[in-house]
Amino acid sequence: MIVDLPDTTTSAISKALVKIREEGGAVALGRVLTLVIATTLGDEEEAIEAANDASREHPMRVIVLSRRAEPADDEEARIDGQIRVGGDAGASEVVVLRAYGAAASDEEGLVMSLLLPDAPVVVWWPRQAPEVPSASALGRIAQRRITDAAEHPRPVEALATLGRTYRPGDTDFAWTRLTLWRAQLAAVLDQPPYEPVERIAVSGSSDSPSTELLAAWLRLQLDAPVDLETTDVRGSTGIHGVTLTRASGDVRLEREQPGIATLAQPNQPSHDISLPRRSLRDCLAEELRRLDPDDLFGEVVQKGLALIEAPATGAGSGGK
């Protein structure tokens, strides 16, 4: 069910939520957190769809705050509200606030009255995020702050900025997209022969912040020099492969086709492994599983990136 509330107030939206619950029982209790999605007008639906899917694992209230990327000074101040429940909201309740003019300037004030009482707050910027997320109006009220460097015009540069401004509670989908790669590489090194890694090579596209993070993580965890190779080939996105050099030979994990990676190890047959690019829903659901600071991510962006020679940055929003 979708209820439109044009030219409204947050107080009227709160009353409408209560009325929907009392009259139809469409909005169940038991939400575990509030997810605030800060995006631009016209970009709401993809983020809402990902949140609806993730809510089946994490029942929550979703507040979508949408405004113009470049507000017009002469635009009339108003808020258009929308409430989605039931089949249009997964296992969550979705409140969409489209703010115009001066009404869009007070982000914290717009969402405060709609937050669930005594529940953690997570803020997600699906597109371009504030330069310092923790110091932004929404970031100050959140336990976790989720950004996506891959959506920045200069993805690797955005990741470096996050490293300089990192505060506990910050995280980025460029890190979440590494989970399958990290798990597979850790599994390989947990098997004999238990030899130290002497050298590491990581390759990927030049606009992939995930490639940079993977190289930084391996440098920190294995304490070995890293060769980071990036390419600007058209259509080439994300991580291409990792080579771990040990005394017995090279371990290679390479993704040469979408969703499939080939694992080659000395004296063993090659294996094809499922290694798909992770969807927004998968990334969001994983980040919502923990509401405490991700200390390893903090260490990687603050210390690991400094150990990796920065590659040339490319334009675009690949690197997923």
Side-chain angles (χ1 to χ4, degrees):
M1 179 173 66
I2 298 178
V3 178
D4 288 311
L5 300 167
D7 196 5
T8 187
T9 64
T10 55
S11 176
I13 294 172
S14 296
K15 292 177 181 177
L17 279 169
V18 174
K19 183 178 179 181
I20 290 172
R21 181 182 296 120
E22 291 177 347
E23 291 184 353
V27 183
L29 299 177
R31 307 303 185 211
V32 298
L33 60 92
T34 301
L35 173 66
V36 179
I37 303 175
T39 186
T40 54
L41 290 168
D43 290 333
E44 305 95 346
E45 294 304 324
E46 183 180 18
I48 291 174
E49 182 180 355
N52 286 347
D53 288 342
S55 72
R56 293 178 171 86
E57 182 176 339
H58 311 280
M60 57 189 167
R61 173 174 289 178
V62 179
I63 302 173
V64 183
L65 179 56
S66 177
R67 60 179 190 165
R68 297 191 190 282
E70 298 181 1
D73 295 334
D74 58 347
E75 188 174 50
E76 179 184 0
R78 80 173 196 275
I79 300 171
D80 290 340
Q82 187 181 79
I83 299 173
R84 305 184 187 184
V85 295
D88 295 294
S92 63
E93 53 193 6
V94 179
V95 179
V96 182
L97 303 175
R98 295 183 175 92
Y100 302 88
S105 62
D106 185 11
E107 293 182 312
E108 183 178 351
L110 287 172
V111 304
M112 282 300 292
S113 64
L114 297 171
L115 300 177
L116 292 173
D118 303 320
V121 177
V122 178
V123 178
W124 171 31
W125 291 272
R127 300 296 183 189
Q128 194 161 339
E131 185 171 354
V132 185
S134 60
S136 67
L138 294 177
R140 288 194 298 265
I141 65 174
Q143 281 73 42
R144 292 297 302 274
R145 297 168 293 274
I146 305 172
T147 56
D148 195 347
E151 295 294 340
H152 193 278
R154 300 178 185 83
V156 177
E157 185 178 307
L159 195 64
T161 300
L162 183 59
R164 292 192 297 271
T165 63
Y166 174 83
R167 295 293 182 273
D170 292 349
T171 191
D172 194 278
F173 278 169
W175 175 249
T176 321
R177 294 184 180 104
L178 291 181
T179 298
L180 300 181
W181 283 88
R182 291 168 54 211
Q184 188 59 54
L185 291 169
V188 169
L189 294 177
D190 280 343
Q191 301 172 8
Y194 303 107
E195 301 170 329
V197 174
E198 300 172 352
R199 196 162 193 86
I200 305 162
V202 179
S203 62
S205 61
S206 61
D207 63 351
S208 168
S210 293
T211 302
E212 181 101 350
L213 278 178
L214 181 59
W217 174 70
L218 288 169
R219 174 68 178 83
L220 277 178
Q221 298 298 107
L222 301 179
D223 193 23
V226 176
D227 297 321
L228 179 58
E229 178 184 354
T230 60
T231 60
D232 288 309
V233 178
R234 183 184 295 273
S236 174
T237 60
I239 302 166
H240 300 163
V242 176
T243 300
L244 306 178
T245 300
R246 300 189 291 189
S248 59
D250 290 348
V251 176
R252 289 188 172 87
L253 182 62
E254 299 177 334
R255 185 166 61 186
E256 298 179 347
Q257 55 182 313
I260 302 294
T262 300
L263 175 63
Q265 303 180 76
N267 305 316
Q268 294 189 34
S270 297
H271 300 283
D272 288 337
I273 298 169
S274 176
L275 201 63
R277 301 186 188 280
R278 307 193 74 192
S279 66
L280 276 181
R281 183 267 176 213
D282 292 338
C283 291
L284 182 59
E286 178 177 328
E287 286 299 339
L288 295 180
R289 287 180 196 134
R290 58 177 303 168
L291 297 177
D292 57 316
D294 189 337
D295 295 332
L296 179 57
F297 171 72
E299 186 177 4
V300 170
V301 294
Q302 291 182 288
K303 300 179 182 179
L305 289 178
L307 301 175
I308 304 298
E309 182 179 356
T313 57
S317 58
K320 295 185 181 181

